[in-house]
Amino acid sequence: MSEPLPSTALRTVTRFAPSPNGPLHLGHAWAALVAQGRAAVDQGTFLVRIEDIDGARNRPELADQFRADLAWLGLSWREVAPQSQRIASYLAAAQVLHGEGLLYPCRCTRAQIAAGAHGMGPDGPVYPGTCRPSFPYRGAFAPAPDVAWRLDMARAMEWATTRHGSLAWEDERRGLQQADPLPFGDVVLWRKDAPASYHLAATLDDAADGVSVVTRGVDLFRASHVHRLLQALLGLPVPRWHHHGVLVGPDGRKLAKRRGAAGLAERRLAGEDGAALARRLKDGRFDAGISLVDTIDLAP
């Protein structure tokens, strides 16, 4: 279900952006309720964006299921264009970064990266720089199935801080932060198996959609350091962030589709009252064995 944009400008805009590679579960319901609730505080707008560029894992038929699940929970929203309709904007941004000498091609396999990794970072093994050129890469930007395009992180930070000074960002729950994306190493911005990476696509999408408060799980807190850098590199507006706690199972791990978290559609089709479930979640009453964790460094 959808609602029109409010007529008053500058109201808070939040978003919920699920990927159709598996059913929504209780963790998604919690995230959607937090985003909608944060917008409601300021009589703002709650958006839904389908992030449907995850290669072979993408299941387009799930988008309608997501809409039914959210309506079942009692949510109203305005839906914006899915990521599959935004590829041109991702390509244009990658070309801008390439033109500044900040992107370079990488043909390393995951096994090669793991073998030479400089420790573990927020996204996993830190890329050892095998393909990083000694000087800014000036060859053509040419996406291909065997090439990932990486951001030269040290060079990008130097570029951004020289022009903008320190890169501050604000989390509504943890206060003012200074961007420190260096622990990620040279992140991939254009993937081998799909277009833009999460870092590039989500940053561009939030700017294009006018999102003023980025609500998402605390497990993505460190990713916001990378996104703040990309905003500086691409001249994008800087929102506020609101990193909320996430639901975990009895094993202390975040609820996930790949670990068999029960789907909302399954509960909906079984006749459960979705509005009642939403009220319980808002009141902090979770299913047996499920708890809310507000720690940045969650178990993988």
Side-chain angles (χ1 to χ4, degrees), residues 119-206:
M120 295 293 290
D123 271 352
V126 176
Y127 181 66
T130 308
C131 296
R132 184 191 307 124
S134 299
F135 300 97
Y137 179 77
R138 297 300 183 189
F141 176 70
D146 64 337
V147 177
W149 288 81
R150 293 183 177 275
L151 180 70
D152 188 324
M153 187 64 77
R155 188 170 282 128
M157 276 296 287
E158 180 181 8
W159 189 101
T161 55
T162 297
R163 289 160 177 78
H164 302 287
S166 63
L167 305 181
W169 60 277
E170 183 181 1
D171 179 74
E172 292 186 333
R173 304 181 65 238
R174 290 171 174 79
L176 190 66
Q177 309 288 322
Q178 294 295 328
D180 180 21
L182 292 173
F184 281 80
D186 292 356
V187 294
V188 170
L189 294 188
W190 199 273
R191 294 165 50 183
K192 295 178 181 180
D193 59 343
S197 72
Y198 167 74
H199 294 304
L200 183 61
T203 302
L204 289 168
D205 294 345
D206 287 341

Side-chain angles (χ1 to χ4, degrees), residues 207-267:
D209 294 337
V211 174
S212 61
V213 179
V214 177
T215 65
R216 60 186 176 206
V218 69
D219 55 313
L220 290 171
F221 184 90
R222 299 194 190 284
S224 297
H225 290 276
V226 176
H227 300 184
R228 178 65 186 92
L229 170 61
L230 291 174
Q231 288 158 359
L233 295 176
L234 295 168
L236 301 175
V238 181
R240 297 190 305 280
W241 279 263
H242 182 103
H243 293 92
H244 55 76
V246 300
L247 298 186
V248 301
D251 60 358
R253 301 169 76 190
K254 179 183 171 184
L255 298 183
K257 307 165 202 174
R258 67 182 181 276
R259 288 194 283 271
L264 296 183
E266 181 181 347
R267 302 174 71 149

Side-chain angles (χ1 to χ4, degrees), residues 24-31 247 255 262 264 267 277 281 287 290:
L24 297 185
H25 53 64
L26 207 61
H28 293 110
W30 172 251
L247 298 186
L255 298 183
L264 296 183
R267 302 174 71 149
L277 173 61
L281 291 174
D287 292 354
I290 293 177

